[in-house]
Amino acid sequence: MSELEAQFATLKKIADPAVAEGIAHLVENGEDHELNRINVLDFSRQNGFDEEKVISGFLHASRLGLFDLTWNVLCPGCSGVLDTHDTLKSLRGDDYHCGLCACGYEPSVDEQVEVAFTVSPKVRRIAAHDPNSLPLWEYYKQVFWSSGIDLNTEFFSTLTEKATVDSLELPAGERAVMSLQLPPQFIIVFEPVTHSAHFIDVQGEPTKERQQLSLVFNKSHPPTGSIVMHPGPLRLALDNQADVRTLPTVFIAAEELHDLLGKRRPFLTAKRMLSNQTFRDVFKADNLHIDQRLKITSLTFLFTDLKGSTALYERVGDLAAFDLVRAHFRALLEIIASEKGAVVKTIGDAVMATFVKPEHAIAAGLKMRAAMDELNVERGTEDLVVKIGIHEGPCLAVMLNERQDYFGQTVNIAARVQGLATSRSIHATGGVVEVPAVSAILQERAITPIQKQAALRGIADKVLVYEIP
């Protein structure tokens, strides 16, 4: 058995077998571009696989050395990849600048950091392993734009025919001249390798005199420049002082370009990855470093606690109580993973978990309550009663006690809301219950939440909370 065959044999044992087979088929038969920055959500949709099983499968495949996992910082405007990191630890907290959009962005892991997978060159060599050899539009497709843009055949035909004036490949250290006819529109001279751009506001009376503009490309990421010119001929002198080939492209910043860049598709975000149980279990070393703080604009927290656990130990004895608590933990952890969540930590008999969306947390909470009822019926007792609190909001992803954790007022409120529960009811804040998808879940189950204003310890103002009976 070859090393590759052994790797895939192992993958089929630790990941979903159907997903593992699909990954193996992709590696063996996929086109080169299909193996670069794989959008795992799109792979899941095309093959009819469960998304969580696919994410888990690719994570295990990466751990086995079949794929390289990258964290790509995206421009929210054009979805261009502003920087690529092979570990979350190297993600910076300062601004990333997009030349095409002339904007700077402080990255949040919600929608601005993409997690993608590229086949390892040790497994199969593809063209994107040498990006400077890719043809111009393949470079845009495979390197500059993220997997979150729908780059279909129509996209590039429209881009080249309606939104592009001219383009060329300029070898390192060489110069070239473009002779252009400027239309009365806003023009962007963009270079994707160095991420540099120059804007030309073409306005006023047309001219027959040849206008002049000189641009220099290098690796210093020069600031975006702009100039006003007249419609008419332009001599554009280009000087590539970078040590790699550059790809200067002249775009018309009109409706066609904006429409194309607006054609998006779902992709795997860093926020979702951080709330994935397989990632937390398998890639512990790829988490944040001790001084890192990553902003998350929205994350849902679920806290649980086992009611009366001290009395339980006294009533049934340590051994029986330990078995009950262990069964309770096993059920909770399985439910959290099934609803696309991840366990951050357990504290005594309590669990702290995160979910990307509030509806997943509510669904998990309802399942947890039902699971405790089933365990009590099986044992002929009513000893297992779980108190549950749910809250959603912004937070920081940090490292605490050598574990990837979360910090902020949202976490504090979620923990306090859990403390309101005195029985098997679930308590959730107004922002959670009022989410349409959450309301739909409760209506489907004929559950009417009870509204109240709650004073939470350490929180100045009262908080709108719903009890879900």
Side-chain angles (χ1 to χ4, degrees), residues 241-313:
Q241 295 181 5
D243 57 1
V244 293
R245 172 201 64 166
T246 55
L247 304 169
T249 311
V250 184
F251 290 120
I252 301 173
E255 185 176 342
E256 286 84 3
L257 183 61
H258 293 148
D259 288 347
L260 289 173
L261 298 182
K263 295 183 184 298
R264 306 295 174 85
R265 60 182 181 177
F267 61 89
L268 180 58
T269 63
K271 179 174 81 168
R272 183 165 179 180
M273 185 63 89
L274 290 176
S275 288
N276 178 273
Q277 195 63 56
T278 301
F279 176 74
R280 293 188 68 96
D281 292 343
V282 177
F283 279 80
K284 294 178 182 178
D286 196 42
N287 267 310
L288 311 178
H289 62 67
I290 191 67
D291 296 321
Q292 204 168 6
R293 311 284 186 267
L294 292 183
K295 288 185 177 181
I296 301 178
T297 59
S298 171
L299 195 63
T300 303
F301 292 88
L302 180 149
F303 280 82
T304 76
D305 197 12
L306 192 58
K307 181 183 178 182
S309 58
T310 302
L312 172 65
Y313 278 83

Side-chain angles (χ1 to χ4, degrees), residues 312 316 320-328 330-331 371-384:
L312 172 65
V316 304
F322 177 75
D323 287 340
L324 280 171
V325 172
R326 187 171 60 176
H328 134 272
R330 186 163 53 246
M372 294 306 101
D373 290 343
E374 291 176 6
L375 286 173
N376 285 331
V377 169
E378 288 175 9
R379 288 164 172 76
T381 70
E382 294 184 357
D383 290 320
L384 294 176

Side-chain angles (χ1 to χ4, degrees), residues 307-361:
K307 181 183 178 182
S309 58
T310 302
L312 172 65
Y313 278 83
E314 292 180 355
R315 186 168 61 253
V316 304
D318 289 348
L319 185 60
F322 177 75
D323 287 340
L324 280 171
V325 172
R326 187 171 60 176
H328 134 272
F329 271 131
R330 186 163 53 246
L332 296 191
L333 269 54
E334 289 176 357
I335 290 168
I336 291 167
S338 74
E339 289 297 331
K340 303 179 182 180
V343 175
V344 178
K345 57 188 173 186
T346 59
I347 311 165
D349 300 325
V351 172
M352 172 185 176
T354 59
F355 298 83
V356 173
K357 297 181 179 180
E359 56 265 33
H360 297 153

Side-chain angles (χ1 to χ4, degrees), residues 141-428:
K141 179 179 181 179
Q142 297 191 48
V143 180
F144 178 72
W145 275 310
S146 80
S147 69
I149 282 211
D150 188 8
L151 301 173
N152 54 33
T153 304
E154 180 184 355
F155 178 99
F156 279 100
S157 63
T158 303
L159 181 68
T160 55
E161 293 172 13
K162 297 183 179 180
T164 305
V165 178
D166 204 353
S167 61
L168 62 82
E169 296 185 22
L170 187 58
E174 294 196 10
R175 300 177 180 180
V177 173
M178 281 185 177
S179 294
L180 309 174
Q181 190 70 25
L182 291 178
Q185 292 176 289
F186 200 83
I187 299 296
I188 305 175
V189 183
F190 180 64
E191 202 297 294
V193 179
T194 59
H195 283 256
S196 58
H198 202 92
F199 296 96
I200 307 175
D201 186 4
V202 185
Q203 57 178 267
E205 292 296 322
T207 180
K208 293 183 179 179
E209 294 184 11
R210 187 174 298 279
Q211 302 165 100
Q212 308 280 340
L213 178 63
S214 298
L215 299 178
V216 175
F217 303 119
N218 54 48
K219 284 294 186 72
S220 64
H221 294 267
T224 299
S226 62
I227 190 172
V228 176
M229 289 188 162
H230 291 276
L234 169 67
R235 183 182 185 276
L236 180 60
L238 306 169
D239 183 2
N240 181 12
Q241 295 181 5
D243 57 1
V244 293
R245 172 201 64 166
T246 55
L247 304 169
T249 311
V250 184
F251 290 120
I252 301 173
E255 185 176 342
E256 286 84 3
L257 183 61
H258 293 148
D259 288 347
L260 289 173
L261 298 182
K263 295 183 184 298
R264 306 295 174 85
R265 60 182 181 177
F267 61 89
L268 180 58
T269 63
K271 179 174 81 168
R272 183 165 179 180
M273 185 63 89
L274 290 176
S275 288
N276 178 273
Q277 195 63 56
T278 301
F279 176 74
R280 293 188 68 96
D281 292 343
V282 177
F283 279 80
K284 294 178 182 178
D286 196 42
N287 267 310
L288 311 178
H289 62 67
I290 191 67
D291 296 321
Q292 204 168 6
R293 311 284 186 267
L294 292 183
K295 288 185 177 181
I296 301 178
T297 59
S298 171
L299 195 63
T300 303
F301 292 88
L302 180 149
F303 280 82
T304 76
D305 197 12
L306 192 58
K307 181 183 178 182
S309 58
T310 302
L312 172 65
Y313 278 83
E314 292 180 355
R315 186 168 61 253
V316 304
D318 289 348
L319 185 60
F322 177 75
D323 287 340
L324 280 171
V325 172
R326 187 171 60 176
H328 134 272
F329 271 131
R330 186 163 53 246
L332 296 191
L333 269 54
E334 289 176 357
I335 290 168
I336 291 167
S338 74
E339 289 297 331
K340 303 179 182 180
V343 175
V344 178
K345 57 188 173 186
T346 59
I347 311 165
D349 300 325
V351 172
M352 172 185 176
T354 59
F355 298 83
V356 173
K357 297 181 179 180
E359 56 265 33
H360 297 153
I362 288 290
L366 294 171
K367 284 184 177 180
M368 289 174 179
R369 188 163 66 182
M372 294 306 101
D373 290 343
E374 291 176 6
L375 286 173
N376 285 331
V377 169
E378 288 175 9
R379 288 164 172 76
T381 70
E382 294 184 357
D383 290 320
L384 294 176
V385 178
V386 172
K387 302 183 295 180
I388 300 171
I390 302 171
H391 180 54
E392 175 271 336
C395 62
L396 293 176
V398 299
M399 285 295 287
L400 291 174
N401 300 319
E402 299 182 349
R403 178 196 294 116
Q404 193 260 304
D405 208 329
Y406 299 93
F407 180 83
Q409 190 75 314
T410 297
V411 181
N412 297 333
I413 292 175
R416 303 288 189 270
V417 168
Q418 181 275 317
L420 296 173
T422 57
S423 64
R424 65 189 294 276
S425 63
I426 300 167
H427 280 67

